């Protein structure tokens, strides 16, 4: 089998960087994007671009087409995350720029998928994975964040209808609390508190290993269009996180993914 080709958006740090690193470790050839992106591991192809620039996104996929001739996986992770995201104030007392996540985060995922679709179809088997969270169904960080997460879950559901019987699948993955560089830094000098938090969290690489397992699942098409909880998906594939940890599902506390209606109106 040829080396599979992936594009991971928003891979400068955090979830995207960890996902790309995991895919590299699993043998993928990975293009990573971001405004300040650096290679997350040996073999990665770093592409600096702003996902609010449609022309730059088009150029990325033209490059993939020229160099690879196909694409096996697109991970839509890029999102404009404002510094005031976790501020508990109501949305009108926070900067209006928090709504930028509806551009780089929701619209950008649609645009990247639009340009990626012909390449995924050329591969005859492909996957678009969206990174999401329980903020899709519960109040989390305010309405802009929630709308973006609900939006990418819906993109996965509706794109699956259009991709039906093509060999291309779409899945949205709810990630848990992520042990990113930023979160770890917040616990500097408090290793015991970090260790306690880690019991309920996931490394960014964890989602990358889940996506790799998803792509290789012979029954992937049965999951197309669905939103899944990453920790529960790990049980399906028998995967554990760093140190053999089993991250918990927060379904009971934060809610469950919505099941799309089977109605199709064209």
């Amino acid at each position: 089998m040829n080396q599979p080709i992936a594009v991971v958006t928003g891979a400068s740090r955090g979830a995207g960087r960890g996902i790309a690193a995991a895919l590299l470790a699993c043998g993928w050839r990975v293009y990573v994007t971001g405004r300040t992106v650096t290679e997350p591991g040996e073999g990665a192809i770093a592409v600096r671009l702003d996902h609010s620039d449609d022309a730059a996104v088009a150029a990325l996929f033209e490059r993939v087409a020229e160099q690879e001739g196909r694409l096996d996986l697109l991970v839509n992770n890029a999102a404009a995350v404002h510094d005031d995201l976790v501020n508990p104030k109501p949305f009108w007392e926070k900067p209006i720029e928090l709504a930028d996540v509806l551009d780089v985060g929701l619209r950008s995922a649609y645009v990247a998928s639009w340009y990626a679709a012909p390449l995924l179809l050329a591969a005859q088997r492909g996957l678009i994975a969206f990174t999401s969270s329980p903020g899709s169904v519960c109040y989390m960080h305010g309405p802009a964040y929630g709308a973006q997460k609900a939006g990418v879950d819906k993109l996965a559901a509706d794109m699956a209808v259009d991709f039906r019987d093509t060999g291309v699948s779409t899945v949205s993955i709810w990630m848990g609390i992520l042990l990113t560089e930023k979160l770890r830094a917040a616990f500097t000098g408090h290793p015991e508190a970090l260790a306690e938090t880690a019991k309920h969290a996931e490394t960014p690489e964890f989602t990358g290993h889940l996506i790799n397992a998803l792509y290789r699942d012979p029954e992937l098409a049965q999951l197309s269009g669905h939103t899944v909880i990453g920790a529960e998906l790990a049980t399906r594939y028998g995967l554990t996180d760093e140190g053999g940890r089993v991250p918990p599902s927060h379904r009971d506390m934060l809610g469950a993914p919505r099941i799309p209606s089977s109605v199709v109106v064209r």
Side-chain angles (χ1 to χ4, degrees), residues 129-153:
F130 299 86
T131 58
S132 188
S133 88
S136 166
V137 298
C138 74
Y139 183 96
M140 184 179 289
H141 308 322
Y145 177 87
Q148 188 264 331
K149 295 309 180 188
V152 296
D153 289 358

Side-chain angles (χ1 to χ4, degrees), residues 13-39:
R13 54 190 177 274
R17 184 176 178 83
I19 289 168
L23 292 172
L24 286 166
C26 292
W28 289 75
R29 180 170 170 82
V30 184
Y31 289 76
V32 294
T33 74
R35 288 184 297 179
T36 58
V37 72
T38 56
E39 295 181 8

Side-chain angles (χ1 to χ4, degrees), residues 113-247:
S113 301
W114 192 90
Y115 283 111
L119 289 168
L120 292 162
L121 292 168
Q124 299 184 330
R125 174 181 172 80
L127 171 63
I128 299 178
F130 299 86
T131 58
S132 188
S133 88
S136 166
V137 298
C138 74
Y139 183 96
M140 184 179 289
H141 308 322
Y145 177 87
Q148 188 264 331
K149 295 309 180 188
V152 296
D153 289 358
K154 190 69 165 86
L155 288 182
D158 288 359
M159 287 181 183
V161 174
D162 288 346
F163 278 125
R164 186 173 293 160
D165 300 324
T166 66
V168 177
S169 298
T170 59
V171 177
S172 189
I173 303 174
W174 283 7
M175 300 182 292
I177 300 168
L178 290 183
L179 290 167
T180 61
E181 303 96 322
K182 186 175 183 179
L183 180 64
R184 291 179 188 272
F187 285 93
T188 299
H190 303 280
E192 298 84 4
L194 176 59
E196 187 62 29
T197 298
K199 294 178 183 178
H200 310 284
E202 304 168 2
T203 66
E205 291 78 9
F206 181 64
T207 302
H209 288 291
L210 293 178
I211 292 172
N212 175 66
L214 258 178
Y215 175 79
R216 300 180 189 282
D217 187 341
E219 298 181 352
L220 171 60
Q222 296 180 15
L223 292 174
S224 188
H226 288 260
T227 295
V228 297
I229 297 173
E232 295 177 3
L233 195 64
T235 300
R236 175 185 177 101
Y237 298 125
L239 295 176
T240 58
D241 203 352
E242 185 179 72
R245 291 186 301 105
V246 179

